[in-house]
Amino acid sequence: EAQVTQNPRYLITVTGKKLTVTCSQNMNHEYMSWYRQDPGLGLRQIYYSMNVEVTDKGDVPEGYKVSRKEKRNFPLILESPSPNQTSLYFCASGDRGHNIQYFGAGTRLSVL
Amino acid sequence: DAKTTQPNSMESNEEEPVHLPCNHSTISGTDYIHWYRQLPSQGPEYVIHGLTSNVNNRMASLAIAEDRKSSTLILHRATLRDAAVYYCILRDSGNTGKLIFGQGTTLQVKP
């Protein structure tokens, strides 16, 4: 079954404590992306990756890092989380033409 | 990026057809029209996309106006499981894959 898997689904942490949200896809997709969803602001792209070792900033990259060492994995790293990063995060992957993108179930993060 | 305009909310009765409109008057010739939906507590889900011609798949139909300034997503028989937020998105064929989600249309389906 085609899947984008995010972990954890829920996370509560404190300001400044580094965390990583993992994302894995089993469709051999080249394209992967991270979004955050906030009330009234919709989904906004954080980072994306067109292929292994190729990453680029989206619209709201500040405070986030990503890496793409393997095709299937695209972790989102918050080196020093702050309360304004409390949000619902989605990972997505797509084929070369990225006409169809598949989204994970989401990670709800609370930074206290 | 060209913008889309959708009604904030719509209601439908179960097993009746639903027509969800989208206006995109500034669409360019290379913009594809994509529809995604987001069910409660889930990630967005691809529904359908098209460029100029009407499109059908197992989930829905997409009717595109001749001037491409508007389109309509058609759910042929709404079920309770179709209650979701539906997003109409324009995507340039040459872009980075970014999907620009607006506020979407919240569809309520009544039994």
Side-chain angles (χ1 to χ4, degrees):
Chain A
E1 180 190 352
Q3 270 190 328
V4 177
T5 305
Q6 294 178 227
N7 280 298
R9 292 289 315 280
Y10 304 90
L11 180 58
I12 300 174
T13 190
V14 295
T15 299
K17 186 176 181 182
K18 180 179 178 180
L19 67 92
T20 299
V21 183
T22 65
C23 175
S24 179
Q25 51 96 1
N26 64 359
M27 294 165 279
N28 202 37
H29 285 161
E30 293 180 348
Y31 177 85
M32 296 187 75
S33 178
W34 276 102
Y35 291 84
R36 60 178 288 175
Q37 185 171 30
D38 302 289
L41 296 175
L43 283 102
R44 294 175 293 167
Q45 190 183 57
I46 304 171
Y47 267 95
Y48 65 95
S49 170
M50 302 291 270
N51 213 328
V52 175
E53 302 291 2
V54 179
T55 64
D56 218 333
K57 295 178 181 178
D59 294 322
V60 288
E62 295 77 22
Y64 304 95
K65 285 175 57 177
V66 292
S67 70
R68 188 88 183 274
K69 293 183 169 52
E70 311 163 277
K71 202 174 205 180
R72 63 182 292 124
N73 295 323
F74 190 46
L76 179 70
I77 303 154
L78 284 72
E79 295 269 3
S80 183
S82 63
N84 65 11
Q85 292 178 298
T86 292
S87 187
L88 180 58
Y89 291 87
F90 290 102
C91 179
S93 76
D95 59 17
R96 178 180 286 273
H98 31 80
N99 281 317
I100 300 175
Q101 294 189 27
Y102 297 82
F103 285 77
T107 295
R108 187 167 292 281
L109 172 65
S110 293
V111 183
L112 306 178
Chain B
D1 297 305
K3 290 186 66 173
T4 63
T5 304
Q6 300 176 251
N8 287 333
S9 62
M10 290 185 65
E11 283 184 1
S12 171
N13 294 317
E14 199 176 9
E15 299 192 6
E16 289 186 358
V18 181
H19 291 233
L20 296 160
C22 181
N23 287 324
H24 28 78
S25 58
T26 60
I27 191 171
S28 73
T30 55
D31 283 338
Y32 280 78
I33 302 160
H34 288 244
W35 284 82
Y36 280 75
R37 70 179 186 181
Q38 188 172 18
L39 278 65
S41 302
Q42 293 190 28
E45 174 187 30
Y46 168 82
V47 178
I48 201 166
H49 77 280
L51 184 62
T52 56
S53 304
N54 295 343
V55 185
N56 299 296
N57 66 20
R58 64 174 181 82
M59 286 182 71
S61 295
L62 176 60
I64 302 172
E66 201 167 324
D67 63 4
R68 301 211 324 126
K69 293 184 186 301
S70 66
S71 60
T72 302
L73 178 71
I74 302 164
L75 306 179
H76 296 286
R77 285 179 73 239
T79 70
L80 297 178
R81 289 192 67 249
D82 291 321
V85 180
Y86 287 78
Y87 298 99
C88 171
I89 300 166
L90 299 183
R91 212 175 60 75
D92 189 296
S93 60
N95 84 353
T96 60
K98 180 171 66 176
L99 297 172
I100 301 176
F101 288 83
Q103 297 306 309
T105 297
T106 300
L107 175 66
Q108 186 179 4
V109 180
K110 297 179 178 179

